[in-house]
Amino acid sequence: MDKLQMLIEALRSGGEEKRRLAVVGLRDYPLDQVLDSLFLALGDTSWRVRKEAVDIIVVAAEGEKGDFLQEELVKMLHSQDNAGLRNSAVESLEKLGGKATRILCLHVADEDHEVRKFIIDIMGNIGDPAFVPALINALDDPDANARAAAAENLGKIGDERALPELLETLAKNDVLLKFTILEAVGRIGQPVPVSAIAPLANDNLLKKAVYDCLGAIGDLDAIPLLLDGLKDRLKKARGAAATGLAALRKRISSPFAEEVLLGGLQGLKGTPHVEELISSFNDAEGGVKEALALILGLIGDERAAKPLLLGCNDDVLRRLCLQALKRIGNAAAASLLEVFTSADDDQRSFIIYLCGELGCREAVPLLTEGMLDLNPQLRAVSVKAAGKTGLAVFVNEVAHLLEDPEQEVRSDAVEALYRLAETDRQSVARIAGKLACSDLAEKRRSAAILSTALADTEKLSLLVKDEDATVRKAAVNSLATLKSAACTGHLVMALVDEDPDVRIAAAGALGDVGSEEAVEPLLLALQDEDPWVQCAVLKSLGTLKSEAALPAIFQLFEVADAGLVLLAALDAVAKIGGEKSAALVEKALDNPDEEVVKAAIGILSQDGDGWVYTYREKLLCHAHWDVRSTFIKTMVSRLGEKSFPYLRQALQTETDELVKGQIVELMERVL
């Protein structure tokens, strides 16, 4: 028995792996000798065996025997007793894609309605717009399932040419087809007249599909119909109307559309329909629940406050529910304060957060109580809320939390005092003064933060000299925030601090302040031994855009070893600009560090094309493949088709397969 015969016999073996390997072995033989065996394998009970056969058949069907094999695959769709064979035929035809277009269009009118549906589904999965005319014709198929499949797959392909026929077909007395057409129109996503869809909302079976469709393609004209859907007695219809409105609002976010939508929604406030929407929200899941949270917030009815509070327990819903509660406003806060004592710790935290966001004065006793609670989370959210209210009455209570055992609570207390400085500057200044004299570095850092709110440069000038480096750094950052030219002297002093983090902060701060007086001290700081300090200095020199800095930057570029310094220098001269800067950037193309060369290419690409011709040969022959790749992309973006002669030349010498592939792809894309 020869080897081929052994493989054919093995296809009838009981061992799955033996059959699979037999199919793999058939690849080595002419198709005419193994075709029957491959067809047998296409119907095997094992998907692994079928997959190997499909791969061989697909390759063969792309060749000379393509028409014959495709016809055979269509015949296999008729198999009633072998689902595996039908599945293999479907998979093979789908993998052939556009190459199967002619055969599929020829058989879309097959006598067997099941085969017609298979072919229609294959067309949709391939997604070729060439199938649109055939699928439009199939909308009149005598079989209901085939008609629905035609509509569904027109939606998958998404070609707007199908819209007139889809809308016309809505007139047929076929609920399944109408439902599928609405989904298809929504998937295509192009506007259609609302009047063509609106009458279908009278059918309870189609309401959800109508509202989903309007959410996908509707405009202002769809808002009244969707608003009516919120009043529907059917819970699913209300949920669909809510998701439709949410989707429509996201798509047409114009001020006028928002005004129309809000006007309609707020008209529901105080009506029994809100209770029905709340009921829908309580029972809904996923995207419907999210949409209802949004809608309830836009309506602004306080009856939704408690259900929305419960929704905050869901990590996914929390943000939407809190936004909705803030939209409802003080009425929501008042409603929730009534249940504060019976709420759990998480819910109490949400209530306090809301009161802080709304500046709710009625919550003053609760915020005071919350700042004394045993739960650190509640203390933290309470002190934050106290700061957001802007009420001076909270200053002393907040100050007590500067001694809290929890770091997060102490930090939140500092943040709150920062906010409260706007309403009670004197009290916050007194607290900052005490903190500045503390033996604890953390408290002195807090004093630096509060001094920013107070614009107290005098206190910050003292803290810049603090014995603790973290305090000095905090003071420098505060001076940078103030951006006052009067701070420049203190920041210059910090440029020679013993701690590199302080020097880095000072160098960055001088750029933020933007004073010309900072240029000379920054140039001296370029000699700092710490490369990160040098980078911060270079960034500020670039921000100040002083041409006087260029000679020192050029000198540093010559001696610097760290690539990060070289990159920072390039960035600085790019911001300063001018011919001298361009000269340094072009010089960087000779740097041994490929990242520096790539950065130089990026900078040069923003200014003209002359350099491309000058350095073309050098960069196309660069030792590092990533530089060659970067330059090739840049050259094509700058020169377009004019770069093709150089690209063809590069293909002859390029050794890296990835770069070769990139060249070919770029040329095809431009063409």
Side-chain angles (χ1 to χ4, degrees), residues 113-127:
H113 64 90
E114 290 188 358
V115 172
R116 295 200 301 275
K117 184 178 182 305
F118 278 132
I119 290 175
I120 288 168
D121 287 336
I122 292 168
M123 288 177 165
N125 289 333
I126 293 174

Side-chain angles (χ1 to χ4, degrees), residues 231-244:
K231 307 171 189 176
D232 200 282
R233 61 183 182 82
L234 296 175
K235 189 170 290 188
K236 285 187 177 179
R238 295 197 296 270
T243 55

Side-chain angles (χ1 to χ4, degrees), residues 270-312:
T271 69
H273 299 300
V274 174
E275 291 289 354
E276 294 172 345
L277 289 171
I278 290 171
S279 173
S280 295
F281 172 78
N282 291 336
D283 297 337
E285 295 179 353
V288 176
K289 200 173 186 80
E290 293 175 18
L292 284 164
L294 170 68
I295 295 301
L296 288 169
L298 293 173
I299 290 172
D301 193 309
E302 62 267 27
R303 286 175 291 175
K306 293 169 187 174
L308 288 168
L309 175 64
L310 293 175
C312 291

Side-chain angles (χ1 to χ4, degrees), residues 305-314 318 321-322 325 332-333 335-356 366-367 373 375 377-378 381-382:
K306 293 169 187 174
L308 288 168
L309 175 64
L310 293 175
C312 291
N313 291 328
D314 186 317
R318 183 172 302 134
C321 288
L322 287 172
L325 287 166
S335 176
L336 296 180
L337 288 174
E338 295 174 1
V339 299
F340 185 84
T341 54
S342 60
D344 61 31
D345 281 349
D346 284 341
Q347 291 170 353
R348 289 161 67 198
S349 295
F350 297 141
I351 294 170
I352 287 176
Y353 166 81
L354 178 65
C355 291
L366 290 182
L367 297 184
D373 198 274
N375 186 329
Q377 176 188 335
L378 200 56
V381 74
S382 296

Side-chain angles (χ1 to χ4, degrees), residues 115-428:
V115 172
R116 295 200 301 275
K117 184 178 182 305
F118 278 132
I119 290 175
I120 288 168
D121 287 336
I122 292 168
M123 288 177 165
N125 289 333
I126 293 174
D128 190 340
F131 293 129
V132 169
L135 291 174
I136 288 174
N137 290 335
L139 290 172
D140 291 323
D141 194 282
D143 181 71
N145 289 327
R147 292 195 299 272
E152 178 185 353
N153 288 293
L154 284 168
K156 277 186 183 180
I157 294 174
D159 193 313
E160 61 185 282
R161 289 178 296 164
L163 285 174
E165 283 77 9
L166 285 169
L167 295 178
E168 183 179 338
T169 308
L170 280 174
K172 292 186 176 180
N173 188 24
D174 183 337
V175 174
L176 173 62
L177 183 58
K178 290 178 180 179
F179 187 91
T180 311
I181 288 174
L182 289 169
E183 288 188 334
V185 170
R187 286 188 80 168
I188 294 172
Q190 296 298 316
V192 300
V194 173
S195 58
I197 295 172
L200 300 178
N202 296 321
D203 188 330
N204 287 338
L205 295 174
L206 296 175
K207 280 180 179 177
K208 181 181 183 304
V210 169
Y211 299 146
D212 287 340
C213 181
L214 290 176
I217 57 93
D219 53 17
L220 283 172
D221 292 339
I223 291 178
L225 187 60
L226 289 168
L227 288 171
D228 283 342
L230 294 178
K231 307 171 189 176
D232 200 282
R233 61 183 182 82
L234 296 175
K235 189 170 290 188
K236 285 187 177 179
R238 295 197 296 270
T243 55
L245 280 169
L248 187 147
R249 180 175 184 254
K250 189 174 182 179
R251 283 192 306 102
I252 53 172
S253 54
S254 69
F256 180 68
E258 184 77 358
E259 182 181 345
V260 172
L261 179 59
L262 283 177
L265 288 172
Q266 289 170 358
L268 296 174
K269 184 176 179 179
T271 69
H273 299 300
V274 174
E275 291 289 354
E276 294 172 345
L277 289 171
I278 290 171
S279 173
S280 295
F281 172 78
N282 291 336
D283 297 337
E285 295 179 353
V288 176
K289 200 173 186 80
E290 293 175 18
L292 284 164
L294 170 68
I295 295 301
L296 288 169
L298 293 173
I299 290 172
D301 193 309
E302 62 267 27
R303 286 175 291 175
K306 293 169 187 174
L308 288 168
L309 175 64
L310 293 175
C312 291
N313 291 328
D314 186 317
D315 292 341
V316 175
L317 275 177
R318 183 172 302 134
R319 180 183 60 83
L320 281 169
C321 288
L322 287 172
Q323 286 179 347
L325 287 166
K326 282 193 278 187
R327 278 188 170 274
I328 297 172
N330 287 322
S335 176
L336 296 180
L337 288 174
E338 295 174 1
V339 299
F340 185 84
T341 54
S342 60
D344 61 31
D345 281 349
D346 284 341
Q347 291 170 353
R348 289 161 67 198
S349 295
F350 297 141
I351 294 170
I352 287 176
Y353 166 81
L354 178 65
C355 291
E357 292 295 302
L358 297 173
C360 182
R361 293 178 179 269
E362 291 79 6
V364 169
L366 290 182
L367 297 184
T368 300
E369 181 182 335
M371 284 188 276
L372 299 173
D373 198 274
L374 294 176
N375 186 329
Q377 176 188 335
L378 200 56
R379 295 200 302 277
V381 74
S382 296
V383 74
K384 277 187 175 181
K388 289 179 179 179
T389 64
L391 298 175
V393 68
F394 286 124
V395 170
N396 290 331
E397 285 87 346
V398 171
H400 287 311
L401 291 180
L402 294 171
E403 307 292 337
D404 196 274
E406 296 290 332
Q407 171 66 49
E408 180 185 356
V409 177
R410 297 196 299 273
S411 297
D412 290 337
V414 174
E415 180 186 330
L417 287 171
Y418 190 103
R419 292 175 178 273
L420 293 171
E422 191 173 330
T423 50
D424 192 352
R425 179 183 177 85
Q426 186 175 358
S427 296
V428 174

